[in-house]
C-alpha cells in the first residue's frame, strides 16, 4: 500500500447540481442512480438530416428566449447549483469565500469572456455583492477540476480563503457547438456510431479546511493527480493511457491507497471509444493486485449526456450525496476525467454517520 502524502484535506461542505435529470442534487443523483434519463430529439440534425439526440435542462431552456444554450441560460443553471451548494456555507464566511469557475476548453466556439463575466457576476450576487480577490476562471473543460482543486488547496492552506466554491457550467446544445462536434465527427448520430450525446449541466461544490460537524456523513478529498497526455484525441496518435495512469498514481499515492482498495469509480466517459480504451490501458498500468472486492463503476453521461466542464464538480457532488444517504459501496471513491491533453484523478474518502450505517 502507498504511504499517504500529507496535503491539505479538502472537506466538502455543500454541493449543487442542475442537469436534465433534475434541478437539484438529490433529484439528479437519484435519477442517475436509477438510470433515468431525459434524452430526446433536438432541433439539430446530423449529416443525413436526422435529429440529433440530446439531454436538455428543459424548464430553464423554456425561459431563455434567445437561443438554446444562450448565456442567460448558462447563468440560470449555474445560479441554481451555486445557491444549493452555498447552503453549507458557515455563517459570516461569504467575504472569505473564493470562487473558482470552470468553463469549457478554450477551443470550443463560445464567447468565454462573456460567459465568465456573467457567471462570476451571478456568484458575486450570491456572496453579498463582491468577489474574493483570488477568484478566477479555468477554461480547461472537464479535467479543469484537477487544477482548480490544486488552487483551492493553496488558498485554504495559506489562509487566503476560508472556503472555496468551485462552480462549473457547460452546454453542448448550441448551434456553434453542435456544428463543431459534427465537423470533428465526435457526435453520436445516424451516420456515426462512435460518439457522445450532447447535454448540459451546472454543478458546484463548497470546500473548506475544517470538516463539518462531527458525527455527520460527509466526503473529504484526500488524493489529487494532474498529468498531461501527449497522445490527445486531436493528435491522431494512439493513446496507451500513460497520462491518465500518471494522474491515477499521483492521486492514489497522496491518499495512501492502491487501486485495489477503491470501491467506486466515477468518470466523465461519454461514449467515444478513444476515452474508453485510454481508461482500460491506464487502469491496467496502475492495477498491481486484485481488488479487495468487486469495484463498482458509474458513468453519469449515460443518463445526462456529455456535459463537459460541469463533470468535475458533478462527480464530487454525486460522491458526496452517496455518502450523505449511506449509499456509497465503501469509503473510497476514485474519479477520473480527461479533456484535450489534460488528465485529472481524484480520490475521495466518505465518512458515515453512525445512524446511517
Amino acid at each position: 500500500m502507498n504511504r499517504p502524502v500529507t496535503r491539505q484535506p479538502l472537506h466538502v461542505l455543500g454541493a449543487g447540481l442542475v442537469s436534465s435529470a433534475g434541478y437539484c442534487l438529490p433529484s439528479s443523483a437519484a435519477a442517475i442512480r436509477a438510470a433515468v434519463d431525459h434524452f430526446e430529439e433536438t432541433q439539430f440534425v446530423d449529416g443525413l438530416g436526422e435529429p440529433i439526440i440530446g439531454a436538455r435542462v428543459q424548464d430553464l431552456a423554456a425561459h431563455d428566449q434567445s437561443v438554446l444554450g444562450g448565456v442567460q441560460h448558462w447563468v440560470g443553471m449555474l445560479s441554481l447549483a451555486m445557491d444549493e451548494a452555498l447552503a453549507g456555507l458557515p455563517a459570516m464566511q461569504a467575504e472569505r469565500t473564493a470562487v473558482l469557475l470552470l468553463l469549457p476548453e478554450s477551443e470550443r466556439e463560445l464567447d468565454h469572456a462573456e460567459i465568465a463575466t456573467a457567471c462570476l457576476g451571478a456568484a458575486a450576487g450570491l456572496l453579498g455583492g463582491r468577489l474574493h480577490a483570488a477568484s478566477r476562471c479555468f477554461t480547461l473543460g472537464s479535467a479543469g477540476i484537477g487544477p482548480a482543486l490544486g488552487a483551492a488547496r493553496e488558498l485554504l492552506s495559506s489562509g487566503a480563503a476560508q472556503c472555496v466554491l468551485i462552480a462549473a457550467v457547460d452546454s453542448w446544445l448550441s448551434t456553434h457547438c453542435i456544428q463543431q462536434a459534427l465537423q470533428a465527427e465526435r457526435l453520436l448520430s445516424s451516420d456515426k456510431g462512435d460518439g457522445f450525446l450532447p447535454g448540459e449541466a451546472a454543478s458546484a461544490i463548497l470546500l473548506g479546511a475544517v470538516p463539518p460537524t462531527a458525527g455527520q456523513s460527509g466526503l473529504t478529498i484526500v488524493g489529487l493527480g494532474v498529468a498531461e497526455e501527449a497522445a490527445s484525441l486531436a493528435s491522431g496518435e494512439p493513446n496507451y493511457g500513460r497520462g491518465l495512469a500518471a494522474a491515477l498514481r499521483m492521486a492514489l499515492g497522496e491518499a495512501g491507497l492502491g487501486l485495489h482498495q477503491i470501491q467506486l469509480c466515477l468518470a466523465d466517459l461519454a461514449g467515444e471509444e478513444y476515452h474508453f480504451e485510454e481508461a482500460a490501458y491506464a487502469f491496467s498500468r496502475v492495477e498491481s493486485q486484485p481488488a479487495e472486492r468487486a469495484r463498482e463503476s458509474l458513468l453519469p453521461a449515460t443518463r445526462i449526456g456529455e456535459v463537459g466542464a460541469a463533470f468535475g464538480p458533478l462527480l464530487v457532488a454525486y460522491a458526496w450525496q452517496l455518502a450523505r444517504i449511506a449509499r456509497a459501496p465503501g469509503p473510497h471513491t476514485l474519479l477520473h476525467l480527461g479533456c484535450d491533453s489534460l488528465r485529472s484523478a481524484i480520490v475521495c474518502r466518505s465518512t458515515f454517520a453512525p445512524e446511517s450505517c
Side-chain angles (χ1 to χ4, degrees):
M1 183 178 74
N2 291 322
R3 292 184 178 181
V5 179
T6 302
R7 302 287 188 188
Q8 170 67 56
L10 296 172
H11 301 284
V12 180
L13 307 180
L17 174 59
V18 173
S19 73
S20 60
Y23 305 113
C24 64
L25 176 57
S27 62
S28 288
I32 290 171
R33 285 184 61 231
V36 175
D37 68 67
H38 293 282
F39 290 115
E40 63 179 9
E41 293 183 352
T42 68
Q43 77 271 37
F44 306 111
V45 296
D46 60 24
L48 298 180
E50 296 295 324
I52 291 172
I53 304 300
R56 298 174 53 189
V57 177
Q58 295 283 1
D59 290 351
L60 290 175
H63 293 299
D64 180 11
Q65 300 301 315
S66 53
V67 293
L68 189 63
V71 173
Q72 291 309 308
H73 179 53
W74 288 51
V75 172
M77 290 192 295
L78 187 61
S79 295
L80 287 177
M82 291 191 296
D83 191 47
E84 185 181 7
L86 288 170
L89 185 67
M92 308 300 290
Q93 294 300 335
E95 291 185 357
R96 300 206 62 199
T97 299
V99 179
L100 304 180
L101 177 65
L102 309 186
L103 293 179
E105 56 276 25
S106 56
E107 292 77 14
R108 290 266 296 279
E109 294 186 10
L110 297 162
D111 190 335
H112 289 78
E114 181 184 5
I115 294 170
T117 299
C119 290
L120 289 173
L126 292 171
L127 290 168
R130 293 186 61 184
L131 278 179
H132 191 284
S135 298
R136 54 184 291 203
C137 179
F138 297 79
T139 54
L140 298 170
S142 62
I145 185 66
L149 288 172
R153 261 185 185 168
E154 293 180 9
L155 290 170
L156 294 173
S157 62
S158 67
Q162 193 69 28
C163 297
V164 176
L165 178 69
I166 299 182
V169 62
D170 201 342
S171 174
W172 276 93
L173 293 168
S174 68
T175 301
H176 290 304
C177 289
I178 290 292
Q179 289 178 343
Q180 187 176 13
L182 283 173
Q183 290 172 358
E185 297 185 339
R186 297 190 60 193
L187 281 186
L188 182 65
S189 60
S190 61
D191 56 349
K192 180 75 163 59
D194 174 27
F196 65 79
L197 295 175
E200 57 186 4
S203 56
I205 51 174
L206 182 67
L207 304 173
V210 179
T213 307
Q216 290 185 348
S217 298
L219 190 79
T220 302
I221 294 170
V222 295
L224 173 64
V226 179
E228 293 287 329
E229 173 55 63
S232 66
L233 180 61
S235 73
E237 297 295 324
N239 185 335
Y240 298 112
R242 294 186 177 90
L244 179 56
L248 292 171
R249 290 193 187 99
M250 191 181 304
L252 290 165
E254 282 194 2
L257 297 170
L259 186 56
H260 64 285
Q261 295 169 294
I262 296 296
Q263 290 86 38
L264 174 63
C265 183
L266 305 174
D268 65 341
L269 304 181
E272 294 175 282
E273 184 179 0
Y274 165 93
H275 296 292
F276 284 94
E277 291 183 348
E278 176 189 29
Y281 279 123
F283 273 67
S284 68
R285 290 178 181 277
V286 177
E287 193 101 57
S288 59
Q289 56 184 293
E292 294 179 347
R293 61 179 179 178
R295 182 168 54 239
E296 296 184 19
S297 297
L298 179 66
L299 306 177
T302 59
R303 280 70 158 169
I304 61 174
E306 167 64 83
V307 297
F311 267 130
L314 183 157
L315 297 183
V316 177
Y318 182 79
W320 182 68
Q321 178 66 12
L322 288 184
R324 292 177 72 204
I325 62 175
R327 292 295 184 270
H332 301 126
T333 299
L334 173 65
L335 322 177
H336 65 88
L337 311 95
C339 184
D340 293 338
S341 62
L342 185 63
R343 301 293 180 266
S344 294
I346 304 160
V347 177
C348 303
R349 179 173 291 126
S350 301
T351 54
F352 306 103
E355 63 271 16
S356 67
C357 297

